[in-house]
């Protein structure tokens, strides 16, 4: 099942979905999973005791992405100010995590950084098009 279809079927949307917001929901969901997995992989690395900052930033990003996609996927009523704040916070968390992971040599960190950059861009577009 597609999140786009699920949101489009909401009675308050009536087929008039905000494409930018739907894309941000999708990418925030994916980013939450990737960041969670990256934090776990960092914890399993031989130098895990030196990765505390990376693990923290990945976990923070995963939690913020989760909160963002949950708020952004709701269509009953409206709370645009909170939604815009969540999207902006998600951009900040993703950029912070991406910067950290880009400095690591692991494939899982590189993948995480790429996902964070994509999510940040989609959340930025969604916030600009509310």
């Amino acid at each position: 099942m597609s999140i786009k279809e699920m949101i489009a079927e909401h009675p308050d949307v009536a087929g008039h979905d905000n494409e930018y917001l739907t894309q941000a929901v999708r990418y925030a969901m994916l980013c939450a999973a990737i960041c969670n997995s990256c934090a776990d992989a960092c914890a399993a690395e031989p130098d895990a005791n030196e990765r505390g900052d990376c693990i923290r930033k990945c976990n923070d990003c995963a939690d913020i992405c989760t909160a963002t996609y949950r708020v952004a996927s709701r269509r009953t009523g409206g709370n645009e100010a909170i939604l815009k704040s969540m999207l902006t916070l998600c951009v900040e968390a993703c950029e912070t995590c991406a910067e950290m992971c880009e400095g690591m040599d692991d494939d899982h960190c590189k993948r995480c950084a790429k996902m964070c950059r994509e999510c940040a861009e989609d959340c930025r577009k969604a916030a600009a098009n509310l």
Side-chain angles (χ1 to χ4, degrees):
M1 172 170 266
S2 160
I3 189 65
K4 176 184 165 117
E5 292 167 351
M6 184 68 192
I7 292 171
E9 292 167 353
H10 191 287
D12 288 352
V13 174
H16 302 290
D17 185 35
N18 178 331
E19 290 288 326
Y20 295 105
L21 189 54
T22 299
Q23 186 72 357
V25 168
R26 182 174 179 273
Y27 272 80
M29 288 170 56
L30 293 170
C31 194
I34 295 289
C35 287
N36 186 63
S37 182
C38 187
D40 186 60
C42 282
E45 292 288 350
D47 62 344
N49 61 335
E50 298 171 17
R51 292 176 180 250
D53 202 32
C54 188
I55 293 167
R56 171 64 189 258
K57 287 182 170 123
C58 285
N59 282 329
D60 287 353
C61 191
D63 289 346
I64 290 166
C65 284
T66 297
T68 301
Y69 88 70
R70 288 178 54 87
V71 169
S73 63
R74 296 180 187 131
R75 295 298 193 269
T76 302
N79 201 348
E80 191 172 312
I82 294 296
L83 179 54
K84 190 166 194 165
S85 293
M86 291 297 299
L87 290 164
T88 301
L89 179 60
C90 195
V91 169
E92 183 178 345
C94 286
E95 288 178 346
T96 299
C97 186
E99 287 172 17
M100 174 59 69
C101 284
E102 285 166 350
M104 306 301 262
D105 290 329
D106 312 294
D107 289 340
H108 58 83
C109 284
K110 300 294 185 198
R111 180 177 310 283
C112 183
K114 184 176 188 287
M115 182 75 252
C116 286
R117 293 286 183 203
E118 291 173 8
C119 185
E121 182 60 27
D122 284 330
C123 286
R124 193 177 286 108
K125 286 179 187 174
N129 288 284
L130 288 178

